[in-house]
Amino acid sequence: MNATTVTPGIFRLSTNVRDILFEGLWPIPNGVSLSSYIVKGDKVAIVDGFCGWDGVPETLLALLSKLNIQVEEIDYVVINHMEPDHSGWLEAFRALRPEFTIVTSAKAVPLLEAFFRLGNQKIRVVGDGDTLDLGQGHVLAFTEIPNVHWPETIATFDTKTGTLMPCDAFGSFGAIEGAPYDDELTPDQFKFFEREAVRYYSNIVAAFSQPTAKAIEKVEKLLGDKVKIIAPAHGIVWRKNPGRIVADYKRYVSYQKGPAKAEVTVIWGSMYGNTASAIPTVIKTLKESGLRWREFQVPRDDIGSILAACWTSTGIVLAMPTYEYKMFPPMAAVVEELAKKKVLNRHVFRLGSYGWSGGAQTELDEIVRRHKAGWSFVSPVEFKGKPTEADLDLIEKRVRGLAARVHYAILRADKRR
Ligand code: FEO
């Protein structure tokens, strides 16, 4: 846990969480940071809550004491977002400090009641354009950013320092050891957080890419002039170059509809090694194509990593056997999740083994159609049992065809940019 000064009057309280599944679902092999921000004028506000997983009062009191702030000084708790990684500490905080006002959106109020049974708690409802004057020039301005990542989400902006606290927007996975600020990171740390931002975006925010695009549009107009620092609830604080994370997020949004990068993600599963025996041919052909590729096996590899790879890939190879007249079940689960997260308009090649009959393609087509994923398929290659030399030759040809489509899609996108 850590307490640092973002800029005079704004302080970051942060802790790292590891060894959990985020949202009870997503593996976070490199952990995640959870941050709150204290804004100190004559009155004191704490924006977002981070302590749900790390202990209130112990963690909170220890961090506040580093900043010479008493818990009794906190007048306002700004709930930007009701998801419990932000709000889960409220009950414990109330036990410590009963007299304070919650500042949040109208949509959050019924959820507050449902989650915490807050009774006669003082609540101030804010929406687009509303402000809260803390004194000493610190005026908080609120903006609704619905569906980034829940419908009730708001962003909080300190007008004095130009610090935007956008909650989940512009965040990333990855525990922060030491420096939390972009002006203190090494090039390797930037690379690490870029990877973790893609993982975070694809796992948590992806399905809400269009609302995220609207939030980015709002922020972009204010960058440099009004917004000088971006301080998300997860990940590093951007106070040297906030435009960098805004541009990164803009790219992540654009990957939803494709084309994304010149990359192909290969996902395969195999029951007895027959489908697996075709994978070396796929990989060899991709290597020759000059495209970047990544390989995952289901159900061995985690869905969060697969989703992150597919989000930045323009091409996808799905290799799996038919199982009980349908897709190999762990592959069906992956495809369903890719479609739900709106990994759209990808170029896809499917191959796989069957015994008595095929059927995998029928289920794959049904999922893609139901979710309107818009995937464009290279003709599939199915083989009975083990692939023959002729099957492998055909697979090689189809992978070359997929690579050509990916190259062409990237070329066309580059020309448009
Ligand atoms: Fe950081 Fe939507 O929770």
Side-chain angles (χ1 to χ4, degrees), residues 140-303:
L140 299 182
F142 304 96
T143 307
E144 293 166 33
I145 50 168
N147 293 313
V148 191
H149 132 244
W150 282 6
E152 84 297 349
T153 313
I154 55 173
T156 300
F157 178 62
D158 175 51
T159 49
K160 180 176 182 180
T161 60
T163 303
L164 179 69
M165 291 157 273
C167 195
D168 280 344
F170 309 119
S172 78
F173 282 148
I176 294 176
E177 308 295 353
Y181 299 106
D182 68 335
D183 45 294
E184 298 171 331
L185 298 186
T186 64
D188 281 348
Q189 286 172 315
F190 271 118
K191 280 186 197 152
F192 169 80
F193 281 109
E194 161 108 37
R195 284 194 301 272
E196 289 297 313
V198 170
R199 175 190 280 276
Y200 173 81
Y201 185 92
S202 60
N203 289 194
I204 308 299
V205 186
F208 307 104
S209 287
Q210 295 320 303
T212 304
K214 286 184 187 158
I216 290 170
E217 218 173 278
K218 280 186 178 180
V219 174
E220 247 187 337
K221 286 182 193 151
L222 304 173
L223 262 181
D225 178 21
K226 289 188 175 167
V227 174
K228 296 188 167 61
I229 299 171
I230 292 183
H234 311 295
I236 53 181
V237 175
W238 301 82
R239 61 182 182 187
K240 182 180 177 191
N241 185 7
R244 177 168 175 163
I245 190 65
V246 175
D248 285 348
Y249 257 62
K250 214 171 166 179
R251 266 191 300 114
Y252 306 156
V253 167
S254 78
Y255 294 159
Q256 181 186 61
K257 292 184 181 172
K261 293 186 182 178
E263 294 177 358
V264 174
T265 297
V266 179
I267 313 165
W268 65 272
S270 190
M271 293 164 66
Y272 297 109
N274 290 322
T275 298
S277 69
I279 298 305
T281 301
V282 172
I283 300 298
K284 174 180 101 34
T285 312
L286 285 174
K287 278 183 186 166
E288 289 164 1
S289 76
L291 292 169
R292 184 166 184 251
W293 55 271
R294 276 169 291 179
E295 179 190 347
F296 299 92
Q297 184 185 353
V298 290
R300 184 193 65 189
D301 295 325
D302 75 85
I303 179 78

Side-chain angles (χ1 to χ4, degrees), residues 379-392:
S379 298
V381 177
E382 288 190 314
F383 42 87
K384 196 170 176 73
K386 195 175 172 185
T388 62
E389 281 305 313
D391 293 325
L392 293 175

Side-chain angles (χ1 to χ4, degrees), residues 60-77:
L60 180 67
L61 293 180
L63 292 176
L64 288 176
S65 93
K66 281 190 184 175
L67 301 172
N68 292 319
I69 293 172
Q70 305 299 313
V71 72
E72 293 78 19
E73 291 178 68
I74 296 177
D75 305 289
Y76 299 103
V77 171

Side-chain angles (χ1 to χ4, degrees), residues 259 347 402-415:
H347 295 283
L402 177 78
R405 285 194 191 195
V406 170
H407 278 303
Y408 183 62
I410 298 292
L411 199 66
R412 283 187 59 191
D414 284 348
K415 275 189 183 163

Side-chain angles (χ1 to χ4, degrees), residues 81-98:
H81 176 29
M82 272 301 299
E83 193 163 14
D85 57 317
H86 302 250
S87 68
W89 66 310
L90 262 180
E91 275 179 324
F93 181 72
R94 281 177 96 213
L96 207 60
R97 163 72 171 137

Side-chain angles (χ1 to χ4, degrees), residues 313-392:
S313 289
T314 300
I316 298 173
V317 175
L318 302 172
M320 71 294 201
T322 288
Y323 182 93
E324 295 178 354
Y325 310 106
K326 292 191 170 161
M327 260 191 285
F328 187 49
M331 183 67 84
V334 165
V335 170
E336 188 83 42
E337 193 56 37
L338 291 176
K340 279 185 191 162
K341 290 290 186 189
K342 302 189 194 303
V343 180
L344 304 176
N345 305 328
R346 295 323 196 243
H347 295 283
V348 181
F349 168 52
R350 184 190 75 80
L351 65 139
S353 170
Y354 66 95
W356 295 110
S357 78
Q361 187 70 35
T362 307
E363 188 185 14
L364 177 55
D365 288 341
E366 186 277 321
I367 294 173
V368 170
R369 195 169 48 244
R370 175 159 42 84
H371 290 284
K372 300 186 174 66
W375 290 1
S376 168
F377 286 97
V378 172
S379 298
V381 177
E382 288 190 314
F383 42 87
K384 196 170 176 73
K386 195 175 172 185
T388 62
E389 281 305 313
D391 293 325
L392 293 175

